[in-house]
Amino acid sequence: MEQDTKSHLFAIRTTGGQEKVVMRLLEAKANANKINIQSVLLVDNLKGYVVVEAINPSDAYMALEGIRHIRGQLRGELEFKDIEGYLVKKSTVSQLAVDNVIEITGGPFKGMKATITRIDVEKEEATVVLLDASYQLPVTVDANYLKIASGV
């Protein structure tokens, strides 16, 4: 017997600017009361709303009950395609800039620090100069193997 484990998505109207508060309250209530909610999404471009995902709609309603700053709910359910456009995996390249000091997290130079000299957004690569090398050698690295170094 195959179980229907399709998630249900609900757009919950909140007081403007209180989306994060509502999200944290829902998370805390779901954890404290063992309510089966899959996720609560905060959508950047959707001001005044949070999206609640639950397999059982009654779990979603139980979680919403009595939460401050909730102003209601859009009628019916959202389809995944309605919010899919908001769920974007941010490219690592967009977070990098020339002259950033970064740490290489994969490949043959893993663990080394370097300075970015050039970024190729289309190829998602960055050319870096290794800081620990005895001479300046430009190396092109996949941007997904780079993270901005902390404590530099």
Side-chain angles (χ1 to χ4, degrees):
M1 185 175 104
E2 192 177 305
Q3 282 194 323
D4 178 23
T5 54
K6 177 189 176 297
S7 287
H8 301 275
L9 299 168
F10 304 97
I12 308 305
R13 195 166 60 243
T14 67
T15 305
Q18 299 297 316
E19 299 89 352
K20 275 190 177 140
V21 172
V22 169
M23 184 177 77
R24 288 196 187 102
L25 289 170
L26 282 169
E27 183 182 31
K29 182 173 180 182
N31 289 340
N33 299 332
K34 305 277 186 277
I35 299 172
N36 193 9
I37 288 185
Q38 271 42 56
S39 64
V40 180
L41 304 169
L42 187 66
V43 183
D44 277 349
N45 312 4
L46 210 57
K47 295 283 179 245
Y49 286 91
V50 294
V51 177
V52 175
E53 176 191 10
I55 289 174
N56 184 344
S58 66
D59 286 338
Y61 297 126
M62 272 183 2
L64 297 173
E65 214 172 288
I67 298 278
R68 283 193 359 241
H69 303 298
I70 289 183
R71 296 284 168 253
Q73 167 189 340
L74 286 184
R75 261 181 214 270
E77 290 182 32
L78 292 175
E79 293 293 322
F80 181 71
K81 66 179 175 8
D82 297 334
I83 61 166
E84 192 172 14
Y86 296 110
L87 308 175
V88 182
K89 180 187 177 290
K90 277 198 175 157
S91 165
T92 311
V93 174
S94 65
Q95 297 163 16
L96 301 174
V98 171
D99 292 336
N100 275 154
V101 174
I102 50 86
E103 185 178 328
I104 300 171
T105 59
F109 302 106
K110 181 176 182 177
M112 297 181 91
K113 288 190 169 37
T115 305
I116 297 174
T117 56
R118 198 173 70 78
I119 297 172
D120 186 332
V121 176
E122 278 74 46
K123 290 184 181 174
E124 294 213 358
E125 292 176 339
T127 303
V128 300
V129 173
L130 300 174
L131 296 177
D132 305 336
S134 48
Y135 53 91
Q136 285 207 331
L137 174 68
V139 179
T140 302
V141 183
D142 183 318
N144 292 314
Y145 291 153
L146 302 178
K147 74 172 189 179
I148 294 175
S150 53
V152 176

